[in-house]
Amino acid sequence: MDPINVAERLGRWSAGRGALYALLAARLRRLIDDGELPAGTPLPPDRVLASTLAVGRSTVVAAYDLLQSEGRIVRRQGSGTRVAGDPLARPAETTSAPVFLDLLEPRADVIPLACAAPDAPPAELAECYARILPELAATTSDIGYYPTGHPRLRHAVAEYYRNRGVPTSFEQILVTTGGQQALSLLARCFLQPGDRVLMESPSSPPALEAFRAKAAVIQSLSPGLAGFAAAAHDHRPALAYVIPTFQNPTGSVLPPPARRRLAETAAALGVPLIEDEVLAELGFPGFSTPPPLAVHSDAVITVGSLSKTVWGGLRIGWVRAAAPTIAQLARIRAVHDLGGDVPTQLAAADLLPHLATICARRAPERQARHDHLRAELTRLLPDWHAPAVTGGQTLWIRLPHGDGTSFTQAALRHGVAILPGSGLDPTGTSETHIRIHYLHPPPTLTEAAHRLANAWHTYNPPPTPIPAPPSLAM
């Protein structure tokens, strides 16, 4: 196993109390006992893992010695270090992506700057739940299973797109449990192992995880899928994926003429194109969100969600696509999920007409927090390059030296969870970047900036950049 993969699986190993070697051993012990590191898995050499984690070699040696004394690992001169036991055991199918660690391993003493979403529901959401209660109480002769989504919400989403200039029928909408499920269903629908996917580099971690879960080969292009036509001719992709508005993580916005060219070219070449609009409504005051790509071609597949615009706990997403694609996605979903929570879907249907109002009301606060964090970083870390954005939720920061992977570990030891650029870039060319979000209140952002500055001033980068994790990327 590559050392970076081990580092990602280690997650927040150093965010506890006690000696670093003991914390490292405890985390490795848990991964071994839970089957995350199956028997026979090769572990990185002492020096390599030490550089990866930005710790001294003695820390890794002491941790390995402790695990060896417990019989959990085997160390032999000339053959390296491996997890003890039967090497034929199969690993569990789980994720080690750092972006999910905020959710899987929350800690009160760590400021989470990795996974971004609104942390409080707006008043309108509670009002919508109150309004749908009489309808819910009067429901009869309805078992509540809707693999394609509740009809009321499907009609509401279709109306939402019609109001944005995209003719859409009820049959073109599939409701999902958040945008992540939408991406996973699309990956299952369109991809077989070895199929190629054209996507931006860097790009959204959830999308990368969904496509990698199908063993897809990622063919990377610049944000906006520059060079799409040539790449599609050369590689014959089964799927393409783009975030045209507030691209995750760079925050870039694809201009209208480029949107038209991309949508029309994908349709002409017969390449299914997924447009991720999860962040599209998050512009700052004065920013006018361009129309969806689907305005230019009905062949575009659009993914949306309320989790990033309304509240992270509102697990409502959707796919807008041709009716036959929606029917196929519903059959795939039914194998795993007979339908989402009906009361939540009814409330979401009632809320959707108010989405623009909610986003506009919150936009000044998001911009103020964006400006505050950038000002703090400029004051405390003037060598960092953190370009301003016009919307979205995150900053894409280039470090002046070192690499994002090892600095992420250093930041974690100072109580801040961030994302290394290598985890968002299948080409491995974003090692010098990190991604952080700015959704916390200003006092929390100030504290986070101070912790990052303390981590940076004590950061001792490895002598050579940490290589990116191996992936099925070109």
Side-chain angles (χ1 to χ4, degrees), residues 260-323:
R260 175 185 292 275
R261 285 194 301 271
L262 178 59
E264 292 178 350
T265 301
L269 297 177
V271 178
L273 175 63
I274 298 175
E275 171 193 21
D276 191 330
E277 272 213 317
V278 167
L279 304 174
E281 298 279 11
L282 297 180
F284 292 160
F287 180 87
S288 180
T289 299
L293 296 184
V295 165
H296 307 297
S297 170
D298 204 45
V300 171
I301 300 166
T302 305
V303 171
S305 170
L306 295 179
S307 300
K308 299 295 187 183
T309 51
V310 180
W311 179 43
L314 184 59
R315 304 305 304 149
I316 293 292
W318 57 79
V319 178
R320 181 206 174 274

Side-chain angles (χ1 to χ4, degrees), residues 92-473:
E93 293 184 5
T94 61
T95 179
S96 60
V99 69
F100 297 117
L101 293 180
D102 277 352
L103 315 176
L104 297 171
E105 301 177 11
R107 290 183 61 96
D109 56 345
V110 172
I111 299 176
L113 296 183
C115 187
D119 63 0
E124 289 92 337
L125 182 58
E127 294 166 0
C128 289
Y129 271 102
R131 283 196 293 270
I132 63 96
L133 288 178
E135 177 182 351
L136 193 64
T139 299
T140 59
S141 302
D142 182 356
I143 62 174
Y145 292 166
Y146 295 101
T148 52
H150 194 280
R152 269 193 58 192
L153 182 53
R154 294 177 72 195
H155 279 295
V157 175
E159 179 67 16
Y160 166 75
Y161 281 105
R162 288 195 293 270
N163 290 338
R164 297 178 64 202
V166 185
T168 304
S169 68
F170 164 84
E171 293 81 10
Q172 288 180 274
I173 301 298
L174 173 83
V175 176
T176 62
T177 306
Q180 181 65 26
Q181 186 183 64
L183 291 173
S184 295
L185 288 172
L186 287 166
R188 290 175 186 163
C189 181
F190 286 97
L191 297 177
Q192 296 294 326
D195 282 347
R196 292 180 181 269
V197 177
L198 294 181
M199 64 187 303
E200 301 160 299
S201 182
S203 191
S204 162
L208 284 166
E209 287 291 294
F211 301 148
R212 284 171 173 164
K214 292 299 295 182
V217 176
I218 307 299
Q219 179 68 39
S220 298
L221 300 174
S222 301
L225 293 183
F228 175 83
H233 279 297
D234 292 344
H235 302 290
R236 301 186 180 276
L239 195 62
Y241 171 84
V242 67
I243 309 173
T245 309
F246 310 129
Q247 199 265 350
N248 181 7
T250 65
S252 63
V253 179
L254 193 63
R259 290 169 180 256
R260 175 185 292 275
R261 285 194 301 271
L262 178 59
E264 292 178 350
T265 301
L269 297 177
V271 178
L273 175 63
I274 298 175
E275 171 193 21
D276 191 330
E277 272 213 317
V278 167
L279 304 174
E281 298 279 11
L282 297 180
F284 292 160
F287 180 87
S288 180
T289 299
L293 296 184
V295 165
H296 307 297
S297 170
D298 204 45
V300 171
I301 300 166
T302 305
V303 171
S305 170
L306 295 179
S307 300
K308 299 295 187 183
T309 51
V310 180
W311 179 43
L314 184 59
R315 304 305 304 149
I316 293 292
W318 57 79
V319 178
R320 181 206 174 274
T325 298
I326 295 299
Q328 186 174 1
L329 290 170
R331 289 192 292 272
I332 294 171
R333 181 188 186 183
V335 175
H336 305 276
D337 179 6
L338 291 177
D341 177 80
V342 168
T344 298
Q345 292 183 69
L346 293 175
D350 199 62
L351 180 76
L352 202 54
H354 307 286
L355 180 61
T357 300
I358 294 171
C359 291
R361 186 178 70 240
R362 287 176 162 179
E365 180 182 70
R366 279 190 299 104
Q367 182 173 21
R369 294 180 178 188
H370 161 274
D371 295 346
H372 178 81
L373 180 56
R374 288 191 70 246
E376 288 294 285
L377 293 176
T378 299
R379 182 173 64 88
L380 298 170
L381 294 159
D383 292 339
W384 284 20
H385 181 60
V389 294
T390 55
Q393 301 176 324
T394 58
L395 295 176
W396 183 235
I397 298 171
R398 188 180 73 242
L399 304 177
H401 60 266
D403 66 274
T405 300
S406 60
F407 178 67
T408 296
Q409 293 292 336
L412 187 58
R413 291 196 286 276
H414 284 77
V416 188
I418 61 179
L419 281 186
S422 59
L424 290 77
D425 190 340
T427 68
T429 57
S430 296
E431 295 96 336
T432 59
H433 285 75
I434 60 172
R435 195 198 78 175
I436 62 177
H437 79 73
Y438 49 79
L439 298 189
H440 290 300
T444 304
L445 294 176
T446 296
E447 176 62 21
H450 277 279
R451 294 186 186 186
L452 288 171
N454 290 336
W456 183 252
H457 295 322
T458 60
Y459 172 54
N460 184 24
T464 57
I466 300 299
S471 63
L472 295 176

